[in-house]
Amino acid sequence: MAQLLVLSATAESEVLPALGLLIHRVRQIPAEPANLVNAPGHDLIFLDARRDLAGAKSLAKILVATGLSAPLILVVTEGGLAAVSAEWGAADIVVEGAGPAELDARIRLAIGKAKQVEGSDKIHASGVVIDEASYSAKVNGRPLDLTYKEFELLRFLAQHPGRVFTREQLLSEVWGYDYFGGTRTVDVHIRRLRAKLGDLEALIGTVRNVGYRFNIDENADSLTNSVSE
């Protein structure tokens, strides 16, 4: 099941009714740049270009310029097909009224191709994308301003989802055996990471009297693990 995000200026109507017949989780938000900052985690984006081709093209360019981390599929009318080009940065196009079988196939192909392009040097987890090659990370497409140790800590935890690590283990794995500082530095970095993750802070869970772990959940807000220290 994929997490699908629909961007549309016409929130009162369903952009692709056939999506409701599929098992994927669909969320729709207004197609405005300001809403993209806190957009829910997603594997693929549908951009509604049926009514406003110029506005949709501008938004598509913004998505690409800010580092689009998920494939983009345009929803157009038959007449709008002629206006779409590679300049939009979209992975695919679908005409309004497409049936569930066609939509499901396009979703699978777009997500599959994106994963092949990304290769094995990226870690994906509930809206967080960690790029080991460039030492960068994004949350819902928004770049995270991480220090080197914050990145290393996030990467290490994300590479072992669900596994609990003590502060001593994290010091050894992330800071190295030759680090002589106290375990409090782990707590400080965890706190900073959570602050930078924002709404997804619950991805880093606390196991009381033990340590920390990276939680995997498509809806971070529903995590029951406590994030208090």
Side-chain angles (χ1 to χ4, degrees):
M1 180 179 72
Q3 307 294 311
L4 309 178
L5 182 64
V6 179
L7 303 178
S8 176
T10 56
E12 70 279 358
S13 63
E14 286 188 280
V15 178
L16 291 168
L19 284 179
L21 302 176
L22 302 176
I23 64 171
H24 306 299
R25 183 175 185 180
V26 183
R27 293 182 179 180
Q28 183 169 323
I29 64 174
E32 300 174 359
N35 294 317
L36 301 177
V37 177
N38 296 313
H42 51 272
D43 302 307
L44 182 144
I45 298 174
F46 281 104
L47 175 57
D48 184 7
R50 298 171 301 162
R51 305 290 179 265
D52 184 6
L53 282 169
K57 183 177 181 179
S58 296
L59 185 57
K61 287 185 173 182
I62 291 174
L63 288 170
V64 173
T66 55
L68 187 63
S69 60
L72 175 68
I73 297 182
L74 304 176
V75 183
V76 299
T77 62
E78 287 283 353
L81 287 171
V84 180
S85 66
E87 189 179 359
W88 289 61
D92 200 357
I93 307 171
V94 64
V95 176
E96 63 174 348
E102 178 184 350
L103 285 178
D104 196 44
R106 291 183 184 277
I107 290 168
R108 285 186 284 105
L109 287 172
I111 293 177
K113 287 180 180 178
K115 289 182 177 179
Q116 289 179 343
V117 171
E118 288 163 2
S120 59
D121 60 348
K122 288 189 178 181
I123 301 170
H124 293 255
S126 304
V128 177
V129 180
I130 302 170
D131 190 336
E132 298 180 278
S134 63
Y135 270 80
S136 62
K138 295 180 180 180
V139 55
N140 290 333
R142 172 177 60 85
L144 292 175
D145 183 16
L146 302 178
T147 65
Y148 176 76
K149 285 303 181 185
E150 288 169 352
F151 175 84
E152 288 291 305
L153 180 58
L154 179 62
R155 178 175 69 167
F156 180 76
L157 289 171
Q159 285 176 328
H160 305 87
R163 181 176 170 183
V164 181
F165 291 93
T166 66
R167 291 168 175 79
E168 290 78 10
Q169 287 175 315
L170 290 173
L171 275 178
S172 175
E173 296 291 342
V174 177
W175 278 263
Y177 287 102
D178 56 347
Y179 181 77
F180 294 102
T183 56
R184 184 59 183 169
T185 191
V186 175
D187 297 330
V188 171
H189 279 74
I190 290 290
R191 195 158 49 242
R192 289 173 180 170
L193 267 180
R194 284 174 175 160
K196 292 180 180 181
L197 286 171
D199 292 340
L200 296 186
E201 65 172 1
L203 284 175
I204 300 180
T206 297
V207 178
R208 294 185 182 281
N209 301 319
V210 181
Y212 300 103
R213 70 181 173 195
F214 192 91
N215 294 307
I216 292 294
D217 197 301
E218 297 297 346
N219 183 2
D221 291 336
S222 68
L223 291 171
T224 58
N225 193 72
S226 170
V227 296
S228 61
E229 293 186 22

